[in-house]
Amino acid sequence: MANTIDLRSHCSHFRILVIGRANAGKTTLLKKVCNSIEDPLIFDPYGDKIEASVVEESVERGLHDIENQLIFQSNPKFIFHDTRGFESGSIAETNKVKEFIAKRAGSTELHDQLHAIWYCLPTDTNRPLLHADEQFFNTDITGKVPVIAIFTMFDGLITEAFTQLKEGGVSRKEAKDRQIEQALGMLTTKFVEPLMSTKYPPADHVRLDGELAYCSEWQANHFNCNELVEKTANALSDETLKLLFVSVQQNNIKSCIYHAVLQ
């Protein structure tokens, strides 16, 4: 088994494709994982930096290149790719994602391959699974690349649960006491169960909270990002990739120690 130094000499970064509709909390998630307050730098497939103004102009014109690489200065060992526009469910956008995954899967070089997929699904919506989501999880698109589903905006579901309880006739205090339990039940029935019943469900899933009733927003997000790191590591069947992932992860020291001891 290669040690961390040998591994870094062959591949110095971990590559993740991030899928999710607009306003799904993707950027916030990546900032938490990379312990950053700054937006990522964007590079083209050849490693040349793309200026922010150029990116903004492309977005305004409805253009987006999935091959562009998002890198945070706080942790440049992660390379992220975004699928902006995937939620439209158009054949063109779906094909772009398929082609990107297939191209990366066909690479013989570890550093060019796609190592994991994080699929963000906001829960503050009346449409749990869009057509694009159903297409993705009912088609063998990812091959051996593990997919972790991330349910974001859970605080919105808590608000909805509180409203339902109040409309059901319970007191404000009781609604406040029961809102998280109610929201967790709604998450299971409306989101988790339909997703896990698809033909190709994710390897695992995690809930990313916003502001909860009993802890600060930072505490909730920090805890669940650690859970995301742990579940991503566990979903990696290749021990070399698992070691690579935990070696570039700076925010979960316990996970790094645990998996390093297992090697």
Side-chain angles (χ1 to χ4, degrees), residues 41-95:
L41 301 178
I42 301 178
F43 298 84
D44 66 19
Y46 306 102
D48 296 322
K49 184 180 176 182
I50 303 174
E51 295 301 324
S53 58
V54 175
V55 176
E56 291 173 2
E57 289 175 7
S58 297
V59 172
E60 290 174 358
R61 286 158 38 203
L63 301 175
H64 176 67
D65 191 346
I66 193 175
E67 291 284 356
N68 286 344
Q69 305 174 105
L70 283 62
I71 300 175
F72 289 87
Q73 290 180 293
S74 58
N75 193 344
K77 301 303 182 181
F78 274 122
I79 293 181
F80 299 103
H81 295 268
D82 188 14
T83 57
R84 185 174 298 158
F86 184 68
E87 70 270 17
S88 67
S90 70
I91 295 177
E93 292 298 334
T94 301
N95 285 341

Side-chain angles (χ1 to χ4, degrees), residues 213-253:
Y214 304 110
C215 59
S216 70
E217 181 177 359
W218 182 89
Q219 289 172 319
N221 276 316
H222 183 74
F223 173 81
N224 281 286
C225 281
N226 285 343
E227 185 181 358
L228 171 60
V229 168
E230 191 67 31
K231 290 190 174 183
T232 300
N234 290 336
L236 295 167
S237 58
D238 187 301
E239 293 301 322
T240 301
L241 277 182
K242 185 176 295 187
L243 180 58
L244 171 64
F245 177 67
V246 297
S247 72
V248 302
Q249 173 51 241
Q250 297 178 336
N251 290 339
N252 195 327
I253 303 302

Side-chain angles (χ1 to χ4, degrees), residues 88-134:
S88 67
S90 70
I91 295 177
E93 292 298 334
T94 301
N95 285 341
K96 283 182 183 179
V97 174
K98 287 182 180 180
E99 291 168 4
F100 175 81
I101 294 174
K103 175 184 175 182
R104 293 288 174 179
S107 174
T108 58
E109 299 293 335
L110 183 63
H111 61 82
D112 287 329
Q113 293 173 7
L114 181 64
H115 304 135
I117 297 173
W118 288 348
Y119 202 112
C120 297
L121 292 160
T123 60
D124 61 341
T125 174
N126 293 323
R127 300 181 63 191
L129 294 182
L130 300 181
H131 179 62
D133 304 324
E134 293 174 347

